[in-house]
Each structure stands twice: as C-alpha cells, then as structure tokens.
Amino acid sequence: MSDNFARVGLDSVQVGHLRHFINLARQLPNQWDLMKGKGYGQEDFGGYRFQLAYMAYALALTHRHRLPAAPGVFKPVFELLMEKILLPEVWMYWRDVSRGGSIFNAHLAADYHEEWDPVRRDNIMYSAYVQSMALMYDYLFDDHRYARPGSLTFRYWSYFWGGGEKRFEYDQKSLNDHIYWQMVESGFLGIACEPNCVFQICNQPAILGFRMHDLVYGGNVADEVTRSYEEAWKQFGRIGRNGHYHVMLSQDTKTVRENVGRAPWVDAWSGALLNMWNRDFVRMHYPEQVKDLIKPGPDGTLSVVTSPRPLVMGQTIVSDDCDFGWVAAWASEMGDAETLGGLLAHADRFMAPCWADAGLYYPRNDQSEDADGNRTLIEPMSGNVLLGYARLNVPDGLWGLYNKPWDRARFQEPAITGVAQDIDVARACFDDASNKLHFTIARLQEAFGDGTVRIGNAVRRGLWALMCEASEVAHGSGSSVQYSGAIHVQAEGDDLLLRVPKGFSSACAIAFSSTA
C-alpha cells in the first residue's frame, strides 16, 4: 500500500494543498486569516482546533504514505501547528462551555462551574487533539520535546482583568495518562465533549493518541481501551435503526441520541476515524450509509445532501457542520475512488478553488446553492483542510498509520531533513535495494527563501552521485564535493546541502556506494 504511493509522490494539486497547510501554519501567532467560520466563540466543528489537528493528521498521512523520506518538509510545520493549538484563542471557549446550560445538560448546570484548565475534565474534543498530535510528532520524527515537563502548557494572562496568570502544565505522558484515567472512570464509554455529552467521534482521536503512545513507549494501552470500549458500547450499539452512526450518549441517563436526520458529518467523521481500529465494521456499513448522503450532479460530479439547520429553543443554530469535507475524507479512507473523484470534481467546478502563495484551498462560501441548485456551501474546515486531507490521504491511510508501525531504521536512512520556505517537494523516498534517495523538488519564483535543501544521513554512506533528469550534476566522498551546473552542493558534517536556483524544478536521485 504505502510503498507504491511513496514512489508516486504528489501531483501539483496535492502539492498545492500541502503548501496551503504550510501557509496557514506560518501565520503569525493569533493570526487566523481564512480560518474563521460562521460559528461564534470557537464552539463548533469548524473551530481552529479542528483545522489545526486535521492539518497535522494530513501531514502525518502524507509523510507516512507519500513522502516518507522528507521529514524536513513536515517537522517544522507540525511544530507550528502545535504552537497554535496551545494558544488561548483555540481553547478559551471551554471557560464558558464548561459551565453547561445547553439542552443536553441544562438540568445539571447547577453542578458545573467555570473551568479554565482546558483538559482537566471533559472537553475531549480538544484534549485528545493535543495528546494525539504531541505523541504523533514524537513517533514520526523521533523528537521527544513534548515529553519534557511543562512542554504542553496552557496559559492565559490579561493586563486588563483577571489578576494573575492562569497556567496549567502538562506533557505528552501526563496528558496521555490523564485522558486514559478519564476513560477508565467513564467505564470506557468515553469522555464528554461538552458536559454530559459523550460523542463517539470525539473519542477516536484519543484512541489514536493511545496508539501513538504505545508506538513510542511500548505497551498495549490502545488495545486495552478499544477492547473495553467495544464491550462498554455493546448495550447501545454503534448504529441506529436507520443504519447510521449514533451521535452521542448522555452520561447521566445513558440515553443514546440517534442520527435521525442522517446528518452526513456524523457518519463520515465517525467512519473515517473508526476505520483505523475497527475496519471490518466500518466497511460493512459504508456502502449503505454513503448512499444516503450523496447526490449526483452534472457530468459525473457528486455532492453531499445538505442537512437543514436545526431549531433549538426557537433559535436556528449557526455553525459549520463540514458535511462535504468529511464525506470526502471518509471516501478517501475507504478507497472509494469513484465517490471521492465525484466530490472533488464538484468542488473544483462549484466551490471556486483558489490559488494563493502557491497554495490551493476553497474559500468560505455561506451560500447554500447556486441558481441551478448546485451546492456551493463550504466552510473553512472543509475548504482549508478536509478536501486537502482527502486528496493527500491514501486508501486505509489512518488504518496503515495505526496498524503498520514504521521501522525505526528509517531514521538512519538518507532523507530530506530540511527545506527552505521556497522549496516544494513532490517526491521523496529511499530505495534500500538500489541504495538511492529519489526526490523531486521545485523552487518557487516569488516565495521568500534561499532555495536550500538539506539531505541528512548522506556523507557517511561513502561515495555518492547526484543526478537530476538523468544527468550527473555533483558527486563526492566525505567532505570532498565536485559539482557542475546550477546546483551548488556542499558537505556539512553528515549532511549534503543543496542550493538550487529560482525556477528550478527537477526529478533527482542521489546514488550511494560504500565502495571507495
């Protein structure tokens, strides 16, 4: 599975999505251009935390399955996403949501209080993303920075009000343990998002985090949790009488809320994540579920049935459900190329794809349909993240990340360990049999950067030769380097540092030989 995709790499559209993730991640702290949806207060499914987390997941899937020899493309972007998800603007909603008062917990609100620590209780729709992202980073890059005490600290202070600083210190191990014990205390039914509301969907990222923890530290926490979770949910079932996933469980009454309206996001989000550890079950139900959620359009395009906005307490809910993006992400995980292709064709035709700073996205549009009845509604979560996620993913992408551990020997192989901001990488894989690192790079004309590409684990392998478009452009051994043409090459320790001119675009390979 992954090896074939790794050799294929990325096409120009996929590179565009990846570049857009990079552009968003590189925005200044608390700058959220293009990321604000319809909802207020970061409470709904289009919130910053979801966009940041699923960009990180998409980076992980792309690195694991498509560009395995390019950690330098992904690692610095992952770090920026981690910085952003810890910002108060991302988690301050919990100070208010923690007090309760919704229709699902109003009768319990007297027992709730304002909670500043965003991971202390409930709020698995945030805590699990911080947990899974930190542990995923460690697993992918063999960097333990988020294991340091206090490395995951939530802090807020205002000059204008509130007195002293609010500060809550965790790290990837203490946060993982905290979430695990919350799961145990729930009887493995799951941890609440907003008070009293346990969503199937929101507990899946925590399970992914447990698996990443096991891959980093050893053990079988993920197996224990999924086994116990399955047993706990037997009395309720995962799926309702209409064949669609249950939305949530009320903690106090143990009452299940069925997906009576067949909201697409419920099935698609659940199915896309559950596939990582419950694949047979997900695949058994997928064909009938997805059939209810999509509708045909012109020229082979497919769209997603739009759910009516619900009325609650006489108010129409204003929020982003991200139906279209989640169905696309689900189809990608299922390997349903026909459905995914139809959805992406619809997006390209009716959702105004936009290229900016070499990145591709679909800008927010609150209008439901055009004059001909074609869906045009798209939210930042779908347009920034999920459609890119769907294009970059591979069939069973999350399943492969979860179930096929990456050999740690990869950390000793030649790889692209650093790139300048003006470099795009479309292919990067090391072929152990031929002892070659294959990569395709392009330097953007207008972007800021110095055009450098760093190749790690290179010099100690002995003789090497750099070929671009089948022509040798450099060769060397140890600190000795000879190069010709437009690419400047030098040795720095065990690295080779390449500097390419503006406008450069080429498929290259470095062939290594231990023979002197």
Side-chain angles (χ1 to χ4, degrees):
M1 177 186 67
S2 59
D3 288 343
N4 290 334
F5 280 100
R7 295 180 186 280
V8 171
L10 307 179
D11 62 27
S12 60
V13 174
Q14 292 166 326
V15 169
H17 284 299
L18 183 57
R19 171 61 63 170
H20 185 61
F21 296 165
I22 295 170
N23 292 341
L24 293 178
R26 285 179 176 156
Q27 293 188 110
L28 295 174
N30 216 29
Q31 181 180 356
W32 307 101
D33 292 357
L34 304 176
M35 297 180 70
K36 186 69 181 76
K38 294 191 296 294
Y40 301 96
Q42 294 301 305
E43 297 168 357
D44 72 351
F45 300 141
Y48 299 148
R49 63 193 179 280
F50 297 111
Q51 294 185 60
L52 296 169
Y54 286 97
M55 277 192 275
Y57 288 8
L59 293 177
L61 293 171
T62 306
H63 182 30
R64 173 65 179 88
H65 298 304
R66 293 186 181 274
L67 300 179
V73 173
F74 302 98
K75 188 171 186 280
V77 186
F78 220 108
E79 292 165 5
L80 292 173
L81 295 174
M82 286 297 302
E83 289 177 13
K84 289 184 180 300
I85 204 165
L86 297 177
L87 291 174
E89 194 77 4
V90 177
W91 55 262
M92 280 276 286
Y93 69 89
W94 185 243
R95 177 194 60 179
D96 298 323
V97 173
S98 60
R99 293 182 293 188
S102 81
I103 59 171
F104 301 113
N105 56 43
H107 58 295
L108 302 171
D111 296 324
Y112 297 133
H113 61 273
E114 179 180 270
E115 178 65 72
W116 277 85
D117 183 338
V119 302
R120 182 175 178 271
R121 65 172 169 90
D122 300 334
N123 203 21
I124 195 67
M125 62 180 171
Y126 173 72
S127 62
Y129 289 116
V130 180
Q131 168 231 16
S132 59
M133 286 171 63
L135 288 160
M136 186 180 290
Y137 174 90
D138 196 325
Y139 169 64
L140 291 173
F141 306 116
D142 197 31
D143 185 330
H144 314 307
R145 71 181 57 199
Y146 303 114
R148 296 195 293 265
S151 54
L152 301 176
T153 292
F154 312 100
R155 57 179 298 272
Y156 180 79
W157 178 78
S158 171
Y159 175 81
F160 300 100
W161 63 278
E165 180 189 54
K166 305 287 193 299
R167 187 179 187 91
F168 311 100
E169 296 187 1
Y170 295 84
D171 57 68
Q172 65 187 26
K173 294 185 73 174
S174 65
L175 181 56
N176 187 79
D177 289 348
H178 179 65
I179 292 173
Y180 169 77
W181 286 110
Q182 284 183 296
M183 187 74 76
V184 172
E185 290 164 5
S186 77
F188 291 97
L189 285 170
I191 303 162
C193 300
E194 56 264 37
N196 201 44
C197 303
V198 178
F199 283 73
Q200 291 193 84
I201 291 164
C202 293
N203 282 270
Q204 304 316 306
I207 291 172
L208 177 59
F210 294 142
R211 177 58 173 157
M212 296 296 105
H213 179 275
D214 292 345
L215 292 175
V216 171
Y217 294 106
N220 295 290
V221 174
D223 286 347
E224 176 199 350
V225 170
T226 53
R227 183 173 59 251
S228 302
Y229 187 68
E230 280 284 82
E231 186 64 30
W233 271 84
K234 274 185 179 178
Q235 58 185 306
F236 308 108
R238 294 198 176 282
I239 287 178
R241 289 161 290 187
N242 63 0
H244 294 269
Y245 286 106
H246 293 317
V247 180
M248 53 161 270
L249 176 75
S250 295
Q251 279 181 318
D252 62 335
T253 63
K254 299 297 186 291
T255 302
V256 166
R257 180 186 173 196
E258 295 191 25
N259 184 15
V260 293
R262 299 176 181 178
W265 64 268
V266 177
D267 285 342
W269 198 350
S270 298
L273 271 63
L274 270 171
N275 190 66
M276 65 188 172
W277 63 270
N278 207 349
R279 182 170 61 165
D280 291 345
F281 180 85
V282 172
R283 289 183 173 276
M284 176 172 59
H285 295 282
Y286 172 78
E288 290 302 313
Q289 290 172 331
V290 78
K291 186 170 62 176
D292 286 343
L293 308 181
I294 58 175
K295 61 181 181 180
D299 303 321
T301 61
L302 293 174
S303 187
V304 174
V305 177
T306 302
S307 301
R309 304 313 299 160
L311 279 171
V312 177
M313 299 172 65
Q315 304 282 338
T316 300
I317 293 179
V318 178
S319 65
D320 289 339
D321 54 35
C322 314
D323 284 339
F324 194 98
W326 272 118
V327 175
W330 188 26
S332 75
E333 182 71 14
M334 295 296 97
D336 184 353
E338 182 178 355
T339 297
L340 177 59
L343 292 169
L344 294 175
H346 177 98
D348 288 341
R349 183 165 175 176
F350 299 111
M351 293 178 168
C354 182
W355 288 84
D357 298 323
L360 173 63
Y361 69 103
Y362 299 83
R364 169 181 164 178
N365 187 346
D366 294 356
Q367 181 178 333
S368 296
E369 297 177 339
D370 63 18
D372 297 318
N374 300 299
R375 177 176 176 139
T376 55
L377 174 69
I378 189 165
E379 321 83 357
M381 177 63 176
S382 293
N384 285 330
V385 183
L386 291 176
L387 294 182
Y389 177 110
R391 274 204 172 100
L392 290 163
N393 194 18
V394 303
D396 278 328
L398 267 180
W399 182 90
L401 181 67
Y402 190 100
N403 291 284
K404 293 197 169 186
W406 218 348
D407 191 335
R408 286 186 55 83
R410 73 187 185 277
F411 295 123
Q412 304 305 314
E413 295 175 346
I416 296 175
T417 57
V419 293
Q421 292 187 27
D422 57 349
I423 295 291
D424 278 337
V425 179
R427 187 186 184 200
C429 62
F430 178 71
D431 186 343
D432 185 62
S434 64
N435 207 12
K436 285 185 179 180
L437 173 66
H438 298 272
F439 58 97
T440 300
I441 56 175
R443 184 176 180 188
L444 304 179
Q445 288 280 8
E446 305 300 328
F448 172 82
D450 62 5
T452 55
V453 178
R454 185 174 293 273
I455 309 295
N457 299 326
V459 173
R460 70 170 178 261
R461 296 185 79 87
L463 296 171
W464 58 268
L466 171 62
M467 313 286 290
C468 289
E469 303 298 346
S471 297
E472 182 177 303
V473 297
H475 64 271
S477 178
S479 61
S480 175
V481 175
Q482 289 80 44
Y483 63 89
S484 60
I487 302 179
H488 180 278
V489 185
Q490 66 186 78
E492 288 189 354
D494 196 29
D495 298 349
L496 291 175
L497 189 64
L498 284 56
R499 182 172 286 109
V500 301
K502 284 188 177 292
F504 179 89
S505 181
S506 180
C508 301
I510 301 179
F512 299 93
S513 173
S514 59
T515 303

